[in-house]
């Protein structure tokens, strides 16, 4: 969740408009990554994205979780190394939502 993510939104929307012309396009969702709800910037970016993309922003955000860095150092995934970590729970929730979209 950084200001650059929000600043690039017009370019992302333009790319999505182009992609939406393809017959197999199923839609797009937005996910906040590396969220730290203690930081005002994370909260501000979330609010700005809700305002900009509405219900296309998933309720599930990927938290800034040390388990991700530890799993990368261990050359594995966070879901495999720390299946109960907040990040792993978020990844599974996002995967479920994507699966719903593609049915």
């Amino acid at each position: 969740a950084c200001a650059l993510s929000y600043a690039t939104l017009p370019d992302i929307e333009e790319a999505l408009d182009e992609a939406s012309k393809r017959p197999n396009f199923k839609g797009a969702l937005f996910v906040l990554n590396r969220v730290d709800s203690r930081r005002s910037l994370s909260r501000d970016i979330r609010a700005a994205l809700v305002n900009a993309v509405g219900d296309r922003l998933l309720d599930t955000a990927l938290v800034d979780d040390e388990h991700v860095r530890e799993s990368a150092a261990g050359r594995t995934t966070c879901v495999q190394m720390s299946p109960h970590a907040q990040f792993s729970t978020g990844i599974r929730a996002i995967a479920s939502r994507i699966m719903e979209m593609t049915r």
Side-chain angles (χ1 to χ4, degrees):
C2 69
L4 184 58
S5 300
Y6 182 71
T8 60
L9 190 57
D11 295 330
I12 294 168
E13 290 284 20
E14 185 178 321
L16 289 173
D17 284 344
E18 189 63 33
S20 70
K21 297 173 185 171
R22 297 179 185 157
N24 60 346
F25 183 75
K26 303 271 187 195
L29 297 172
F30 291 82
V31 176
L32 282 174
N33 189 22
R34 297 189 70 189
V35 172
D36 182 348
S37 59
R38 299 169 299 178
R39 300 184 67 202
S40 62
L41 180 60
S42 284
R43 294 189 303 271
D44 292 347
I45 294 298
R46 179 188 288 274
L49 281 173
V50 165
N51 188 46
V53 303
D55 63 355
R56 293 183 297 159
L57 179 64
L58 286 180
D59 291 337
T60 302
L62 297 173
V63 298
D64 190 8
D65 192 333
E66 188 63 31
H67 292 99
V68 175
R69 289 177 282 284
E70 290 172 7
S71 63
R75 303 189 83 167
T76 187
T77 68
C78 186
V79 173
Q80 291 171 324
M81 181 180 255
S82 302
H84 302 292
Q86 286 182 333
F87 184 88
S88 299
T89 302
I91 286 290
R92 285 192 298 276
I94 291 165
S96 293
R97 181 69 190 273
I98 291 169
M99 294 300 293
E100 290 171 14
M101 275 183 66
T102 58
R103 288 184 188 148

